[in-house]
Amino acid sequence: MRGWVSLRKGRVARALRLSPMDSGSPIVTRFAPSPTGHLHIGGARTALFCWAFARAQGGRFMIRIEDTDQARSSDESARGILEDLAWLGIEWDDGPTLEVDGKIIGEGSREVGPYFQARRVALYNAYIEDLVKRGVAYAAFESAAELDEKRKIVVAAKKTYRYERPADVTRGVFNSDRWERACKGEPHVVRLAAPAEEIVVRDLVLGDVRIAPGELDDFVIRKADGFPTYHFAVVVDDELMGVTHVLRAQEHLANTPRHVALQRSLERLNPRTPFRTPAYGHMPLIFNMDGTKMSKRDKAKAARAALEAHLKDPSRTGEAFAAACGVEASHLEAFRAKENDSVEIAEAVARALSIELPEIEVADFRENGYLPEAIINFIGLLGWNPGLKTPDGRDLEHFDMAFIATNFSVERIGRTNAKFDRKKLLSFNADRIAALSDEEFIRRWAAWMATRPDDAPLARRLTEALANGEAWTTWLAQALKPRSRTLRDAGRACAFLRRRDDDTTFDAAQVEKCLLADNGAGRDLLGAFARELEALNDWSPARLTAAVEAFVQARGLKGPGPIASCVRVALTGSSVSPGLGETMGVLGKAGTLARIETCLRTIG
RNA sequence: GGCCCCAUCGUCUAGCCCGGUCUAGGACACCAGGUUCUCAUCCUGGGAACAGGGGUUCGAAUCCCCUUGGGGUCACCA
């Protein structure tokens, strides 16, 4: 008894169960996205864990594109997903090839492709036919609408709807009448004649999950359009592609009995061998902080809320706003009425209102200036934990992909759903930025800016300066790193860099307070300081900071505050900037003096 | 509603499998101090959790049961 209990729940027992299939051959995991949009952050975690498990076990990691939904799948989406994975550093051994920076990912394929399911339809059909001929599947002719109707009635009566097997169908007996009708072109689907037995899913994370006989109904395995359903394609492909371990989100747990039932019903064609059941591991789900599902609809929701608040002002109209953000008025109306959750409209609204939409997909995080290693580290901690301590006794929670690749273990996957805490991600990102070398920081920041039209000029300037070994890039990096939780923040922290030396706009309150008050004491100080600077030739932050201190000393000021704020407003027009030494260093001697000159002239 | 899964600070979690070392540890967030030319960074400190109830046991966060709560799933989507 006790032994059984520990077998069910214990981590040791779970570990023992790791290789139920060919224990000698290397394991194979796969990530199988459907190309209907961008890579979701949750999908990224699934991919990471599958990748890590394969790496830790010395196995192979495969990508398969599940594009059996003709209406929603697209090649652009598939490509985007592969690019996002590559950007994160999750590289696959088998799967579609992708060229990134001259490097080809997925090339060392085992040749179990094609890796796009839409190209495997003939294969699925062969298995469908075999199933039908063996009486394990059958053609069904009810229309979707007809079934929908029935389902509605049953659900309204608070009963569980199950498809009822037609009276003329018996599992194990080939129904040739139905098959002939189907072959003659009558619209139909193919359903599995589900076995009436208990199904036990041995889950690596959750333990055994038992499903009573009769819980499974005769689900569809081939749709009317001739494409297999997800369930069918997954099972056939996992077998044919040699997948040994399936790690996926817990939302699939309830599907697993179907997959097991399918595996028991299918046989490989020639030579005929039974399908195997891979080891399953279902991972906890990721939610928003408020407990709702993380979904691209969140973007529409956020945009809509901001839009409604904006339009509360009676002087503003939806039509005018639509024109302002370049969206057709009728489309915007539909969006407001929640008739659609268009991401495009949400983004247009966000731009017009200059609000930020929640990041949901990997691409969102990338655009907002997150580093892939920060994302990897953070999602690696969602539902998994290495369980190690740092030398000073803290939990080890900062690690990279190499660490995950060697330390990942399925026993340490948690069972509890997690909430996605953006604040903590931000903190991780800040840590990563701070840890970058000065040169690496500039390089990556410039690369990020290069893709953004407004930032591209600065990106070019930085890249050039870096190549020329100009010291100010180092000073800039040092000034910006502690002020940047994201790469986007870096641009905000150095707004003064884009300012022209002859720009005459200065924060009025600041000018009054620092420069003009007390009969222009600050202004006089600033002029005097500028004359000191003119004599200075070593224009490094350290030397400049020393110059400020010397000036304070010489003048007998009680601290650097007064002169610093004068210089700051002259250089940046504002009351906020990085340290003065760094700011002046980055601006250069000519720029610094020119700006002070402009300021003095402007305020008179 | 049926079936299934889950349950430690606000959040991510360590501890649970092999009960005592747990007056439950860390991180993020928050609060309070400190360093500082502004803004940040940084440093120090603080509050903050075993959902509830029954068992088992000398002893339970750890094992069992129930309740409650949360979640997933019930498509010709994946």
Side-chain angles (χ1 to χ4, degrees), chain A residues 305-352:
Chain A
L307 178 57
E308 293 315 319
H310 177 77
L311 293 177
K312 266 236 168 76
D313 183 334
S315 69
R316 305 200 262 244
T317 66
E319 293 75 47
F321 184 83
C325 66
V327 174
E328 203 170 302
S330 62
H331 292 176
L332 189 72
E333 272 318 299
F335 180 77
R336 287 181 69 188
K338 303 185 185 174
E339 285 164 23
N340 68 64
D341 291 318
S342 160
V343 172
E344 291 70 35
I345 295 179
E347 278 167 356
V349 168
R351 262 195 306 280

